[in-house]
Amino acid sequence: MKRKHPLRRMMLAAAGTASAVALLLTLKQPITSVAGAASQAGGAPPAASAPAGSGAVPAGGSTVLGDEADTQFGPVQVELTLSGGLITGARAVKVPSTDANSRRIAEGSVPTLNQAAVAAQSAGIDTVSGATYTSQGYIRSLQSALDKAGVAAAGGGTGQGSAPGPGSGAETPGGGVPGGDAGPGGVPGGDAGPGGVPGGDAGSGGGSSASGSGDGSGDGSAPDGGTGRASGSGAAETVLGDVAGTQYGDVQVRLTVSGGRITGAEAVKTPGSDANSRRIAADAVPKLNQAAVAAQSAGIDTVSGATYTSQGYIRSLQSALDKAGL
């Protein structure tokens, strides 16, 4: 083909144009950044999130560690974070952990208690249903932390809460709950003997049984002693009744009194001579606590199936009322 042939010139021009376009595309190829890649993929760079839950202890402020409060299933100890005279965080640094059931109950109840302490700004919080022992230990340790911090609490915990429903077996050794206190004699309509008498408290050998009723009040730990203490002007006062002995162990009642009224009741000692007595107290004491607050006196009925425990409770309750001048 001749050098100046028209077809040759057209081929050379086409090749030159193609090379120019390829070079231009190469120079204008966009560079994708990390942020752009995330955007193109429909995502965004991750952002750090703050921990949730009012029970978490925030940064800043001063921390106060409450005393350990023993319970039947292990100690409870509460740490508070305070800022400007307010509770800004609460957590339990020790919880019952004697067995898997106690650990499970603590995991379910302690976050609720943490939140309640921050919300109430005092130890005047309710127990968590199904975790009475853990709740009562928490409230005692919380109150001691408030005392150390010099915070005037609005009132002590009620120490009662709602009794767990049948079959829960929460924080209660064993499963079923015999009908009442085991007795050596066997009196129909009262505490039964070793053979068990239907209609009364079941003995060690029989009697009707109910399903497990969860945990009750009272942990057998040593009380503060004396008639209680006030937490600042106008604050609630705790009054400790005398120990009332029963055939199966001691009963001792502690009241929280504010403005001349009973605002809370709890048994700090309950019969614990054997597993049967402990199960009976676990079922009966929450009912007695509620009855004492409702009646505002010691004129309450005994709990069916727990005559001995009820009578001891009423005697100790009356002595606490006498000390409080009610």
Side-chain angles (χ1 to χ4, degrees):
M1 185 180 293
K2 293 182 180 181
R3 186 172 182 180
K4 293 184 179 182
H5 195 280
L7 182 58
R8 178 182 177 86
R9 288 198 298 269
M10 290 174 62
M11 292 175 62
L12 291 174
T17 302
S19 299
V21 170
L23 179 60
L24 183 61
L25 290 175
T26 302
L27 292 174
K28 290 188 177 182
Q29 181 69 31
I31 299 173
T32 304
S33 64
V34 173
S39 176
Q40 290 172 20
S49 57
S54 60
V57 178
S62 60
T63 58
V64 180
L65 190 64
D67 296 335
E68 283 190 22
D70 290 330
T71 76
Q72 185 172 339
F73 302 95
V76 182
Q77 189 172 26
V78 176
E79 182 184 70
L80 297 179
T81 301
L82 301 111
S83 179
L86 295 175
I87 303 172
T88 56
R91 64 171 180 157
V93 296
K94 285 189 179 179
V95 294
S97 57
T98 53
D99 52 55
N101 190 42
S102 296
R103 290 191 293 272
R104 177 185 59 79
I105 291 167
E107 288 172 1
S109 61
V110 168
T112 301
L113 294 165
N114 289 338
Q115 293 174 344
V118 176
Q121 293 293 304
S122 74
I125 60 177
D126 290 332
T127 58
V128 175
S129 178
T132 307
Y133 284 120
T134 298
S135 299
Q136 289 175 346
Y138 186 102
I139 290 168
R140 292 198 302 275
S141 182
L142 170 59
Q143 184 62 63
S144 73
L146 290 168
D147 293 341
K148 290 178 181 180
V151 176
T158 62
Q160 57 194 53
S162 12
S168 67
E171 288 190 334
T172 305
V177 179
D181 296 342
V187 180
D191 294 340
V197 179
D201 293 347
S204 58
S208 60
S209 278
S211 354
S213 62
D215 68 332
S217 308
D219 50 23
S221 60
D224 294 332
T227 59
R229 61 179 182 272
S231 304
S233 176
E237 179 184 8
T238 57
V239 183
L240 192 64
D242 296 334
V243 174
T246 76
Q247 187 168 345
Y248 302 97
D250 296 335
V251 181
Q252 189 173 28
V253 176
R254 179 166 59 197
L255 297 180
T256 303
V257 179
S258 178
R261 292 183 59 80
I262 303 170
T263 57
E266 64 176 325
V268 296
K269 284 189 178 181
T270 59
S273 57
D274 52 53
N276 189 38
S277 297
R278 290 192 293 272
R279 287 193 290 266
I280 291 163
D283 179 55
V285 170
K287 299 173 184 176
L288 294 165
N289 289 337
Q290 292 174 341
V293 176
Q296 293 292 305
S297 73
I300 60 177
D301 292 331
T302 59
V303 174
S304 177
T307 307
Y308 285 120
T309 298
S310 300
Q311 290 174 345
Y313 185 102
I314 291 169
R315 292 198 304 274
S316 183
L317 170 60
Q318 184 60 64
S319 73
L321 290 167
D322 292 342
K323 291 178 182 180
L326 300 176

